[in-house]
Amino acid sequence: MAEVEDVNKPLFAGLSDVSIAEDIPVEGDIAVPLSSRNADDEISTLDEPVKDTILRDLKAVGQKFVHVLYPKKSSALLRDWDLWGPLLLCVTLALMLQGGSADSKDDGGPQFAEVFVIVWFGSIIITLNSKLLGGTISFFQSLCVLGYCILPLTVAMLVCRLVLLGSSGLVSFIIRLVVVSASFGWSTFASTAFLADSQPPNRKALVVYPVFLFYFVIGWMILTFSPSQ
Amino acid sequence: MSASGGTKNTNTESWGGFDDNIIIQGSGSAVIDMENMDDTSGSSFEDMGEMHQRMKEEEEVTAEAAATEEETGEDGEFLGMKGLKGQLGRQVADEVWQAGKRQASKAFNLYANIDILRPYFDVEPIQVRNRLIESMIPLKMIAFPQKVAGELYGPMMLVFTLVAILLHGMKTSGTVIREGTLMGTAIGTCFGYWLGSSSFIYFLAYLCNAQITMLQMLSLLGYGLFGHCVVLFITYNVHFHSLFYILWLVIGGLSTLRMVAVLISRTVGQTPRLIMCGTLAALHMLFLLYLHFAYHKIVEGILDTLEGPNVPPIQRVARDLPNVASAVVNATVRSVAAVVHSQ
């Protein structure tokens, strides 16, 4: 019995040595650092006047337009994506493509809805396709890029409408064909400059083809547009 | 480990809870039921999700029990009925919210997970090009099953290309769709044919005991649309009827023969082979015929020449194309009508 207690005592003594003594200071900080910066930012944008918010957003959209018109290898479009620009372009294009048939009774509505649906569902399908092929950019970044690259085609639509105001014969058709083809090529080139980097190198063609088809369909809709008398 | 009086209930309760958790964890995850393993889900997260949820629920039940015991068992501090119910109510609401969120995210991860489709898009451009060319080359060996690629990228791109070509055809032929849109009709036609025809032939294959899966059928029929795309692209721009018939027979026939050869190599018995291949050939060739003639540029001259001047013209509105093209078309149509009349 006494031997057992003798054996036990060193054991308990060892255990007491293991516990942390009060004179050793415990260092480190386990508190989660407060990100008070974000809270301040949100409060400040909530309190500013609406004009400032709108102007800031418009400036961002305009900056991205410039990036599309001069497609360099920059990541501004991808880093802070937004969908205001694509919405603006889509609505402008749909409005301009409206009323483009000889039978104006029943084709006013579907034209707008058609363009809208083509643009957004086409973008969604291309995005899903590029993600399934192993792309690294996110869903909304891809939507943003595809939407912004419709800008050259919208400009071509404006030019076509102006040309059609003048004449509607063979010469105007050739001018329109040239303008639309150039802007279609520009759109495809601009979007591949942003999208193709995110794909594995040997599959770029697989991603570029749907984009080509998408802008081809939009370009075709612009080219075959003829205003009602 | 037993509750030592009423001094510090919390400590003993928490120790007790910890023990309970170990026991529950051990019994929950010791055996994985292989029956419930799902091939399609990547990590059988149904099982994991269920186990996780069960563990969480046990934890929450014990935490709730601990909380209630804390409230009722604390010496000298009686929060009153209102405080008790408030805290309990909040906790229960919180748990219900967590459980609901878990269920929703589980369902979302299960059904809206596009990673399910990822293996079917794993192709290289060279492979797609080779398969496009092979879809026009019928192979003669039908003694043993021919290989069919199970991918969906090529077929989907071909269907979209067909939609684009069809749109072009509809616009140049001046088709006016009354109830709906051009785009809707084109997409509905092409996707409807691809999916519906594949399902029907797959159903026949199931009846006739053919060794082909749905994915392979979709892939086969999708690649067969390559011939359609080529023929329609040519004939929507060059309006010669005889040219269309020659292309229909040659290119349509080649792609049909290829698909038929694949199906024959995977079926046994004369009658099943006949049924399946006859249906496939009929659907394929008739679809091309339909696409050409339904959206073909109809000129009033053809009706007058073929059926006589008493038939009222069809209610179609022509678009303003350059006059050159229409003059060529008129000349073509009259020459064809003359040929038909002379026979």
Side-chain angles (χ1 to χ4, degrees):
Chain A
M1 192 65 166
E3 287 145 0
V4 172
E5 282 182 10
D6 282 336
V7 167
N8 282 338
K9 270 200 189 124
L11 275 181
F12 287 133
L15 275 180
S16 68
D17 279 342
V18 166
S19 66
I20 296 172
E22 274 79 20
D23 53 348
I24 300 176
V26 177
E27 292 180 6
D29 186 7
I30 58 172
V32 175
L34 269 180
S35 52
S36 56
R37 239 181 330 116
N38 287 345
D40 282 342
D41 274 349
E42 282 176 30
I43 289 174
S44 65
T45 63
L46 210 54
D47 282 345
E48 68 180 7
V50 174
K51 181 169 75 96
D52 285 352
T53 314
I54 291 180
L55 279 180
R56 193 181 56 235
D57 283 340
L58 278 180
K59 215 177 294 186
V61 167
Q63 204 178 32
K64 295 201 185 78
F65 279 170
V66 171
H67 275 286
V68 168
L69 287 177
Y70 300 106
K72 308 185 288 273
K73 297 258 181 196
S74 80
S75 62
L77 221 67
L78 291 179
R79 224 186 14 241
D80 14 274
W81 57 268
D82 72 87
L83 293 177
W84 283 115
L87 182 68
L88 223 61
L89 287 172
C90 183
V91 167
T92 315
L93 195 64
L95 282 176
M96 283 198 290
L97 276 175
Q98 216 178 357
S101 77
D103 197 6
S104 59
K105 263 199 306 262
D106 56 353
D107 269 351
Q111 289 283 7
F112 185 91
E114 259 183 85
V115 176
F116 223 79
V117 163
I118 290 173
V119 168
W120 288 103
F121 276 102
S123 305
I124 290 176
I125 289 171
I126 295 175
T127 307
L128 283 178
N129 178 53
S130 79
K131 280 187 84 71
L132 283 171
L133 285 172
T136 53
I137 61 176
S138 85
F139 184 73
F140 286 110
Q141 280 172 336
S142 173
L143 276 186
C144 167
V145 167
L146 286 168
Y148 269 106
C149 291
I150 295 180
L151 178 67
L153 284 167
T154 313
V155 169
M157 180 75 218
L158 275 170
V159 172
C160 282
R161 278 218 96 144
L162 290 175
V163 168
L164 278 172
L165 279 179
S167 65
S168 58
L170 188 61
V171 174
S172 83
F173 180 72
I174 292 181
I175 296 176
R176 282 186 290 141
L177 179 67
V178 165
V179 166
V180 170
S181 313
S183 61
F184 151 69
W186 196 347
S187 288
T188 312
F189 171 69
S191 65
T192 54
F194 293 112
L195 282 180
D197 279 342
S198 66
Q199 292 292 327
N202 50 346
R203 294 198 184 173
K204 288 207 209 298
L206 295 183
V207 174
V208 169
Y209 179 69
V211 173
F212 168 87
L213 253 185
F214 175 63
Y215 289 129
F216 180 80
V217 167
I218 296 182
W220 184 248
M221 280 197 301
I222 293 175
L223 187 61
T224 58
F225 170 76
S226 56
S228 55
Q229 270 72 31
Chain B
M1 290 303 171
S2 59
S4 54
T7 45
K8 271 299 178 188
N9 269 351
T10 48
N11 276 344
T12 50
E13 275 313 318
S14 60
W15 271 116
F18 189 48
D19 261 348
D20 282 349
N21 263 348
I22 287 182
I23 292 170
I24 286 163
Q25 270 180 6
S27 65
S29 63
V31 176
I32 300 177
D33 197 349
M34 291 300 285
E35 249 174 11
N36 291 336
M37 284 289 192
D38 201 347
D39 285 323
T40 57
S41 63
S43 63
S44 72
F45 38 84
E46 291 146 310
D47 285 5
M48 297 304 287
E50 275 175 19
M51 277 193 293
H52 192 243
Q53 193 174 359
R54 230 184 303 136
M55 275 170 9
K56 278 277 182 185
E57 274 165 5
E58 300 287 355
E59 275 176 24
E60 276 155 7
V61 163
T62 49
E64 194 190 332
T68 51
E69 297 233 20
E70 271 181 29
E71 299 303 326
T72 54
E74 204 141 12
D75 294 284
E77 284 186 9
F78 185 55
L79 290 178
M81 290 303 288
K82 192 170 162 196
L84 179 67
K85 270 191 184 154
Q87 189 128 9
L88 247 188
R90 253 179 286 136
Q91 224 163 11
V92 164
D94 200 26
E95 280 155 32
V96 165
W97 165 251
Q98 291 292 335
K101 204 167 82 163
R102 256 202 314 278
Q103 290 276 15
S105 65
K106 210 167 66 173
F108 182 75
N109 283 337
L110 195 56
Y111 295 115
N113 200 4
I114 65 166
D115 283 334
I116 297 173
L117 292 176
R118 204 177 275 271
Y120 308 139
F121 281 77
D122 192 12
V123 287
E124 306 288 320
I126 269 278
Q127 284 177 322
V128 174
R129 196 200 61 176
N130 289 344
R131 283 170 194 167
L132 282 176
I133 297 176
E134 277 168 10
S135 75
M136 307 290 287
I137 304 176
L139 292 175
K140 271 193 169 265
M141 52 173 187
I142 54 177
F144 59 95
Q146 296 184 13
K147 200 170 69 78
V148 181
E151 55 135 326
L152 287 178
Y153 173 80
M156 269 193 55
M157 289 305 127
L158 278 170
V159 172
F160 282 121
T161 311
L162 192 62
V163 167
I165 295 177
L166 207 61
L167 266 183
H168 166 38
M170 287 200 279
K171 286 249 173 195
T172 52
S173 77
T175 306
V176 173
I177 310 275
R178 294 276 158 191
E179 300 285 332
T181 66
L182 277 181
M183 194 68 198
T185 313
I187 290 185
T189 311
C190 297
F191 266 98
Y193 168 76
W194 183 45
L195 295 172
S197 201
S198 299
S199 316
F200 183 59
I201 306 278
Y202 178 67
F203 168 66
L204 283 183
Y206 171 74
L207 289 180
C208 303
N209 257 340
Q211 305 293 320
I212 196 161
T213 65
M214 182 66 184
L215 173 70
Q216 287 171 329
M217 198 61 232
L218 280 171
S219 185
L220 194 65
L221 212 67
Y223 273 112
L225 288 176
F226 177 57
H228 283 18
C229 287
V230 168
V231 173
L232 288 173
F233 183 66
I234 297 176
T235 54
Y236 277 153
N237 294 316
V238 180
H239 297 274
F240 290 109
H241 268 275
S242 46
L243 179 66
F244 168 71
Y245 283 120
I246 293 171
L247 284 177
W248 176 61
L249 281 174
V250 169
I251 297 186
L254 275 178
S255 58
T256 313
L257 279 176
R258 155 114 186 132
M259 289 196 291
V260 158
V262 169
L263 278 182
I264 286 183
S265 73
R266 288 171 171 258
T267 321
V268 276
Q270 283 295 99
T271 317
R273 281 178 174 181
L274 197 62
I275 293 174
M276 280 184 58
C277 301
T279 323
L280 181 61
L283 279 174
H284 200 240
M285 302 294 273
L286 287 177
F287 184 57
L288 184 54
L289 217 58
Y290 166 73
L291 282 181
H292 179 80
F293 283 111
Y295 307 113
H296 185 58
K297 181 169 171 57
I298 292 195
V299 186
E300 289 175 29
I302 189 173
L303 292 174
D304 284 340
T305 331
L306 290 183
E307 295 184 30
N310 294 332
V311 178
I314 273 188
Q315 303 289 332
R316 280 190 192 249
V317 184
R319 296 207 183 255
D320 65 343
L321 286 181
N323 294 328
V324 178
S326 58
V328 167
V329 169
N330 271 338
T332 318
V333 156
R334 289 193 202 287
S335 65
V336 167
V339 166
V340 166
H341 267 298
S342 64
Q343 282 173 359

